[in-house]
């Protein structure tokens, strides 16, 4: 009898485990395919595409992680909006922070945006942004420059009343990247992107598009040079035409 009960309990536990896993997997994306969950560590960070909006429900005090791709010549920006717990349930002000790390888990500095913000008890939402430096196609080993590959976004509250830890919240995260232009174009490239296994390759590839506004300056300069050469030849060949 004890053996039968043990077997029955094991089967019930296994069924619950697989059922729960299936439900969690089915809840990973919404109707439009956008992610609806966040990871709780670098290893479990939810992968999102550029310009894709991800959402997640969590609790105050948790670390929420996402990852997105960025290629050479792009200037990435991560943005997060948190719908805070009801003001009546909170006990004071809190400070929220958005950090961005590269594929080697090196924290990248923000050149623009407000990545840390203090919110009052009566505030209902908080928006954080972080714009990184332009992604380089390659760099020295000792350098901390951003390189092509996956970038991790981490969202959390860094300071707040202990009584508020564990309260529910809703977060929306989006990452995009603009082309920095030919001014930042440079030769060379990495042999492979930094930890890009979980994210989709950017539209222009990891090494960036072959086209840049530098081509416009090059072609324009060549045309201008040709016109000046023709004008100079005409002036020296037939000076009497211009003297009249």
């Amino acid at each position: 009898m004890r053996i039968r009960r043990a077997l029955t309990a094991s089967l019930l536990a296994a069924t619950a485990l697989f059922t729960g896993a299936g439900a969690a997997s089915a809840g990973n994306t919404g109707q439009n395919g956008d992610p609806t969950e966040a990871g709780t560590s670098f290893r479990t960070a939810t992968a999102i595409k550029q310009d894709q909006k991800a959402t997640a429900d969590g609790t105050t005090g948790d670390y929420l992680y996402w990852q997105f791709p960025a290629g050479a010549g792009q200037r990435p920006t991560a943005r997060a909006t948190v719908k805070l717990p009801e003001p009546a349930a909170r006990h004071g002000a809190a400070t929220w922070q958005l950090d961005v790390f590269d594929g080697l888990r090196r924290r990248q500095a923000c050149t623009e945006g407000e990545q840390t913000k203090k919110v009052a008890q009566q505030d209902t939402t908080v928006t954080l942004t972080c714009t990184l430096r332009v992604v380089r196609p390659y760099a020295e080993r000792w350098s901390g420059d951003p390189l092509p590959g996956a970038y991790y976004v981490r969202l959390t509250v860094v300071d707040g009343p202990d009584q508020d830890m564990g309260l529910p919240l809703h977060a929306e995260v989006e990452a995009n990247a603009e082309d920095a232009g030919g001014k930042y174009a440079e030769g060379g490239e990495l042999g492979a992107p930094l930890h890009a296994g979980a994210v989709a390759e950017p539209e222009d590839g990891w090494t960036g598009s072959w086209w840049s506004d530098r081509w416009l300056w090059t072609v324009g300069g060549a045309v201008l040079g040709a016109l000046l050469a023709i004008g100079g030849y005409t002036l020296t060949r037939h000076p009497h035409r211009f003297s009249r």
Side-chain angles (χ1 to χ4, degrees):
M1 183 65 69
R2 290 181 178 177
I3 296 177
R4 183 180 299 176
R5 289 179 178 175
L7 289 174
T8 301
S10 299
L11 288 173
L12 290 174
T15 302
L17 176 62
F18 285 109
T19 302
S25 178
N28 287 340
T29 58
Q31 293 181 351
N32 55 359
D34 293 339
T36 57
E37 290 186 352
T40 56
S41 66
F42 286 105
R43 186 176 58 84
T44 61
T46 297
I48 60 176
K49 302 175 183 178
Q50 291 184 9
D51 302 318
Q52 184 180 38
K53 181 174 291 185
T55 59
D57 293 315
T59 56
T60 305
D62 288 345
Y63 283 100
L64 303 179
Y65 288 83
W66 295 265
Q67 56 179 314
F68 69 94
Q74 293 187 328
R75 182 184 285 109
T77 297
R79 179 179 292 100
T81 299
V82 183
K83 183 179 179 182
L84 302 169
E86 293 296 329
R90 287 152 43 201
H91 297 79
T95 302
W96 287 82
Q97 185 164 302
L98 179 73
D99 294 310
V100 181
F101 303 82
D102 66 11
L104 299 179
R105 303 184 185 181
R106 300 176 301 184
R107 186 173 180 271
Q108 292 292 318
C110 301
T111 59
E112 297 178 15
E114 193 171 8
Q115 69 170 131
T116 303
K117 187 178 292 186
K118 188 173 183 178
V119 296
Q121 182 177 350
Q122 67 271 19
D123 292 337
T124 57
T125 61
V126 57
T127 298
L128 306 167
T129 59
C130 175
T131 299
L132 304 182
R133 294 171 292 168
V134 177
V135 177
R136 297 187 58 194
Y138 75 102
E140 295 76 12
R141 291 179 178 270
W142 50 265
S143 172
D145 293 337
L147 295 169
Y151 283 80
Y152 296 96
V153 178
R154 185 177 71 185
L155 175 67
T156 192
V157 60
V158 294
D159 182 42
D162 292 338
Q163 304 96 310
D164 293 352
M165 300 301 139
L167 293 177
L169 61 88
H170 180 78
E172 295 182 357
V173 169
E174 185 176 4
N176 52 57
E178 64 175 5
D179 186 2
K183 175 182 177 181
Y184 295 92
E186 53 184 313
E189 62 182 68
L190 293 179
L194 299 182
H195 183 68
V199 294
E201 186 175 356
E203 184 176 342
D204 292 332
W206 295 114
T207 56
S209 173
W210 64 271
W211 170 260
S212 73
D213 54 9
R214 180 177 290 184
W215 284 100
L216 297 177
W217 290 101
T218 302
V219 174
V223 172
L224 180 60
L227 293 176
L228 290 174
I230 294 173
Y233 172 80
T234 303
L235 179 62
T236 56
R237 182 69 174 175
H238 307 284
H240 60 279
R241 294 182 180 178
F242 298 94
S243 62
R244 293 178 183 176

